Amino acid sequence: MKILYSILFFLVSHLCFSQSNTEIFLFDLETNNSKIELKNGKNISNSEGYDNQPSFLDDRYIVFSSTRNGQTDIAKYDTRYSGRLWVNFTDGGEYTPLKIPNKREISAVRLDKDGKQRLYSYSLSNGQSTELIKDLVVAYYTWYDENTIVSAVIENEELNLYTSNIEDGTNRKYATKVGRSFHKIPNSNLVSFISKENENQWQIKSLNPSTGDTKIIANTMTGVEDICWLDGNTILSGKDNILYKLRLRRDNDWKQIADLSSNGITKITRLATNTSATKLLIAGDISNEATTAEPVDETTEENNTTDETTTVVNETESGEIVQKHIEPFNTRNLEAFANAFDEDVIVNRFPNEKMYSGRNTLKENYRQFFKNNKKSNVKVLNRMTHKNMVIDEELVTLNNSTIRQVTIYQTDAENINSMTFLRNSNTTSNPEAIVNKQLEVYNNRDIEGFVKTYSSDIKLYTFPSTLNSEGHAAIRKGYASFFKSVPDLNAQIVNRIVLGNKVIDKEKVTVNGQIFYAIAIYEVENGLISKVTFIQ
């Protein structure tokens, strides 16, 4: 019973903490002798809700815990293109994602809906997860090497220090009453942890996982347990909105580096540096004034003009309309499911291959579908909205098999008007690479580099199938003058879905001081973009 209580206690503490609005900031770090400066601070999460526990995969990619569809999942952020992807597709909530040394995997603490809490690994290729430690309720942790984990384990309402060898399955306990901050100390064979054995003065201690030896390094600031290492002799920590440093054997006490209130940070909660100590991640509570920039109206003045028969549907309403058919599908309530669609709904295969039309036909098709599939379930992994269009990345379970697909929905003010299915397809290369390159040369307004990212027979469409441009010459002619006339041209990825050889991006584009949004569906063949379908 005490173990169950401990799990629930940890769950409740996370849920309570997640009510605050936390954001993740990336800073450049400049160190000159004893002087440390933070520059170019950027909010990289920039979303309502819980964004926390960031870490570096490498100098380009960052992972962190972030709220998606009401639960906490693992987000992967690309610093080069300011884009975010989702790593996992589980029903549980993931916390503290970290790179596993020497593997294309990350690890995270998962809290399942049934209360089970364990540490898992996740493939960076497909998001599949594997339980790492079966017998311990890990709350916080770090990797010592690719086989050794140092962690805080929940026992009898306390956090106790363990090392675990995932190769031979052994666990050893070395300390009691520890905190949540664990870090490999640079240029050493030691791991730092926070000791709370002395309730009046918490201490930073080191552990040698090979021998079990522990030593006192320094005292924390009062009530502060989050630190990171800049190098083997310098520790960073934060209290409220102030960042501090402590140089071992040189500083008698913590010294202020920076006041982060100008970034909207009111309380620093997590810190992490990259291996070269040139970048710093800070997670923190932020003031209401700094949550996000004022939303930009994604509808142009021209599009705002409507006649008496036109109803404008905003993105939130479109998402809610599409959501109406999910639960009835999962509960196999055919009547409610069909009623989420317009009487004249059109169902297509991408881009515009008609399957059937009409609510009655849809109803009969799904009646047979439910009859043929005794078990059926759909889970929305990622949702992209633009005006009255909704694109869902979906995990569909049919009987004992699971597939990933993308569905494009078009709505009116009440129902789904059309539904277009994109099926997964096999690909031998990573389609993101050339799409990322295309974005880079687009932002550089490099017309020749831009043209080279496309196949010679490239075709540009407006959804679903209106051909706008074909071939390199048309691309060069259309974009060369555009690049010259827009000195502030910049595109950022707001959301991304990757399915087989397709990359679907929602993009925020700045053109001569104005901001526009669009969705682009890129199709990649033989390492080049062969087709783009725009939803504008």
Side-chain angles (χ1 to χ4, degrees), residues 4 22 32 36 172 212 256 258 292 343 476 479 495 500:
L4 175 61
T22 52
N32 185 8
I36 301 171
R172 297 189 65 179
Q256 180 175 331
T292 57
E343 288 185 0
R476 186 178 285 105
Y479 280 90
N495 197 353

Side-chain angles (χ1 to χ4, degrees), residues 329 332 334 337-338 345-349 354-373 419 421:
F329 178 89
R332 306 169 78 85
L334 183 59
F337 173 77
V345 63
I346 299 173
V347 181
N348 293 327
R349 292 188 184 92
K354 186 175 179 180
M355 298 170 64
Y356 57 86
S357 63
R359 182 192 293 164
N360 290 335
T361 305
L362 177 142
K363 189 173 180 180
E364 290 307 311
N365 283 342
Y366 276 92
R367 189 191 307 278
Q368 189 64 39
F369 174 89
F370 288 143
K371 182 178 179 180
N372 294 339
N373 296 278
M419 179 166 63
F421 295 109

Side-chain angles (χ1 to χ4, degrees), residues 296-305 312-313 386-387 517:
V296 178
D297 186 356
E298 298 186 16
T299 307
T300 64
E301 184 176 341
E302 178 181 355
N303 289 333
N304 275 329
T305 61
V312 177
V313 183
H386 181 59
K387 300 179 183 176
Y517 289 82

